Structures are given as structure tokens and as C-alpha cells.
Amino acid sequence: MKFRLITLALMLAVSIASVAQEKKSGKSKKHDSAVAEKGLIKISVMYPFSEGKTFNMEYYETKHMPMVAGFLGTNLVKYTIEKGVASGIPNQPLPYMAIGTFYVKNLEEYQKAITPNRDAIRADFANYTNVAPMILVSEVVR
Amino acid sequence: MKFRLITLALMLAVSIASVAQEKKSGKSKKHDSAVAEKGLIKISVMYPFSEGKTFNMEYYETKHMPMVAGFLGTNLVKYTIEKGVASGIPNQPLPYMAIGTFYVKNLEEYQKAITPNRDAIRADFANYTNVAPMILVSEVVR
């Protein structure tokens, strides 16, 4: 009986420790994939600022970007949104009102995923902006 | 004696579990700080592409960016470098050859750090490019 209870307590110890360990490596894996951006492809969708141009950040963040991200599947590593604040050069106008960026593993996969959905994506533009975006494809060097 | 041994085994269980837990939250904290970019200020230095313009990525990555990063101290959370590959819109020219981005906690601190070094930074441009960059200050929304 004594031996059984000790064994039980030890089994409990091992199982608690292994659950914690599992959680830990789950976190750790997520961490690694989140920061290892080198070599990824970025698709930056940039909305130029000029007089009379508008941009609804709330709609962009809660509707448009999640919709496009949903088309990209596991090729999408992460996406980011930034709000233009100012030009970094004094007395120059704000270059962009907003930039949305998709970090993907493979450019061809991205294009394959976007092509059949291009009309839906473009049709949604009018819901948050009156400017046509510029798009840069780049590679993360560092 | 039986009771003591069981207590000992249970204490062992708790201590193994708590060590594992500690390791886990350590990782977790690191993970959070690495990806918690929301609210940070980005200074994106963008080098426009046009006919006859050049950019030496090796010099930029190994000399220029580390020099500027060195001026920013603990205000700098991270910096990234990307190489322009193409326009994301068919039949449009490449918008930018390269973009270097500083993620900082505080814009005023950034400006205070850069101002006394502006001449050194600008003088270094000629070592890697013949184009004047455009600079966007933005805020990370997501």
C-alpha cells in the first residue's frame, strides 16, 4: 500500500512536469517561428496620402485584413498593420496613411491564393479608402 | 513513515512542476517581448527605385545600419532590412530597392539620438547608394 501510494505520487509528479514541459515547448516553437523572419517574402500594401484621401483603420483592421489573411492559409507566417504618422523628413508630407504587410513563405503560393480572390479584395477597398494602394514585394534580409 | 514518504513524493511532484512552470514562463516572457510590436514606432527608410539608381546591400547591412542602430541605445527594440524584389501590381516598376526599418519605443528619444549624428549618417549615403531615401514614421497597430 505504502509503495503504491508513493508510486502514484511520483506518477503525478511526472505527469504534471510533462504537461508543463509540453506547454513550454509549444510556446518555444511559436516564439521561434514568430521571430525567424529572415528569408521570408513581404507583400507590403501601401496607401499613399494626399489631400482628400481617406482611410478607415477600424474597418481595415477588423474586416479587410482578416479576410485577405484568410485566403493565405499556412503560407502566411504573420501580418502586420501600421498607421502613417508623419514623414521622417521635416516639411515633407506624410508618404503613406497606412501599410498592411503579409509575411509569407512562398511568393507563388501567395499569388495562387490571391488570384481567384482578387475581385473580392478590390471590391472591399471602397469600404475603407478612396485611394489605390501601391504594392511592394520584398525579401527579408535581416 | 508511510505518511512521510508520501509527503516527500508529493513535495517532489510540486517542485518538479514548479521548475517546469518557471522555465515555461521565462520562455513565454521572452516570446511576448519579441513579438509585442503593437504600439511601437517604426521609422522606415525607403530607397526608391528608378533607372540608373544603385544600392549596395552588403555595405548597408554590414556598415550603415549597424552604425545608425548604435546611435539609438535601448530605445531601439529591433531593426530590419528588406530588399525590394518587384511591384505587386503587374507591369508596374519596382517601387523601392531597399527599406531599412527601426522599431523604437519613443519617437522623441529617436530624434534626440539622431540629430547630433545626422551629418555622419548622410555622409555615409554615398558609400552605398545614389538615391535620396523617403522616410515614413508610423505606429504599429497590429
Side-chain angles (χ1 to χ4, degrees):
Chain A
M1 180 64 181
K2 185 176 80 179
F3 181 72
R4 266 212 200 152
L5 275 172
I6 294 169
T7 309
L8 201 71
L10 279 171
M11 278 170 68
L12 185 70
V14 170
S15 78
I16 293 173
S18 79
V19 165
Q21 185 66 23
E22 209 168 274
K23 275 195 187 168
K24 186 201 137 214
S25 41
K27 275 283 175 192
S28 175
K29 210 177 280 170
K30 203 175 167 191
H31 169 69
D32 290 347
S33 72
V35 295
E37 290 170 8
K38 189 173 170 171
L40 289 182
I41 298 296
K42 282 178 74 167
I43 295 98
S44 301
V45 186
M46 306 165 139
Y47 295 85
F49 170 73
S50 63
E51 211 51 43
K53 298 304 179 189
T54 59
F55 194 90
N56 182 335
M57 183 56 85
E58 207 243 327
Y59 185 93
Y60 189 65
E61 190 184 356
T62 61
K63 308 279 184 194
H64 184 79
M65 286 295 275
M67 175 185 78
V68 181
F71 298 143
L72 302 177
T74 56
N75 187 34
L76 181 68
V77 176
K78 70 167 184 172
Y79 70 91
T80 61
I81 298 172
E82 64 197 278
K83 180 184 182 296
V85 173
S87 167
I89 301 166
N91 308 315
Q92 294 238 342
L94 175 67
Y96 298 104
M97 295 184 285
I99 301 178
T101 306
F102 301 100
Y103 289 73
V104 300
K105 295 171 207 159
N106 184 294
L107 182 58
E108 272 180 41
E109 288 294 313
Y110 168 85
Q111 285 160 337
K112 259 189 228 166
I114 290 300
T115 304
N117 295 296
R118 188 154 286 149
D119 290 347
I121 296 169
R122 290 201 180 149
D124 197 39
F125 283 179
N127 292 322
Y128 63 91
T129 191
N130 58 358
V131 72
M134 175 194 251
I135 305 179
L136 172 68
V137 177
S138 65
E139 192 193 313
V140 178
V141 171
R142 187 216 134 98
Chain B
M1 181 62 181
K2 184 176 82 180
F3 181 71
R4 268 212 199 149
L5 274 171
I6 293 170
T7 308
L8 201 71
L10 280 170
M11 278 168 68
L12 185 70
V14 170
S15 79
I16 292 172
S18 80
V19 165
Q21 185 67 23
E22 209 169 272
K23 275 197 188 168
K24 185 201 138 214
S25 39
K27 273 286 176 192
S28 175
K29 211 176 279 171
K30 201 176 168 191
H31 169 70
D32 290 345
S33 73
V35 294
E37 289 168 8
K38 188 173 170 169
L40 290 182
I41 298 296
K42 283 178 73 168
I43 295 98
S44 302
V45 187
M46 305 164 141
Y47 295 85
F49 169 74
S50 63
E51 212 52 44
K53 298 304 179 189
T54 59
F55 193 90
N56 182 335
M57 184 57 85
E58 207 242 328
Y59 186 93
Y60 189 64
E61 189 184 356
T62 60
K63 306 278 182 195
H64 184 79
M65 285 296 276
M67 175 186 77
V68 181
F71 297 143
L72 301 178
T74 56
N75 187 34
L76 182 67
V77 175
K78 69 167 185 175
Y79 71 91
T80 62
I81 297 172
E82 63 198 278
K83 181 183 181 296
V85 173
S87 167
I89 301 166
N91 307 315
Q92 294 238 342
L94 175 67
Y96 299 103
M97 295 185 283
I99 302 177
T101 305
F102 301 101
Y103 290 72
V104 300
K105 296 171 207 159
N106 185 294
L107 181 57
E108 271 179 42
E109 288 294 312
Y110 169 84
Q111 285 160 336
K112 260 189 227 165
I114 290 300
T115 304
N117 295 297
R118 189 153 285 150
D119 290 347
I121 295 170
R122 289 202 181 147
D124 196 38
F125 284 179
N127 293 322
Y128 63 91
T129 191
N130 58 358
V131 71
M134 174 195 250
I135 306 179
L136 171 68
V137 177
S138 65
E139 191 193 314
V140 178
V141 172
R142 187 218 134 100

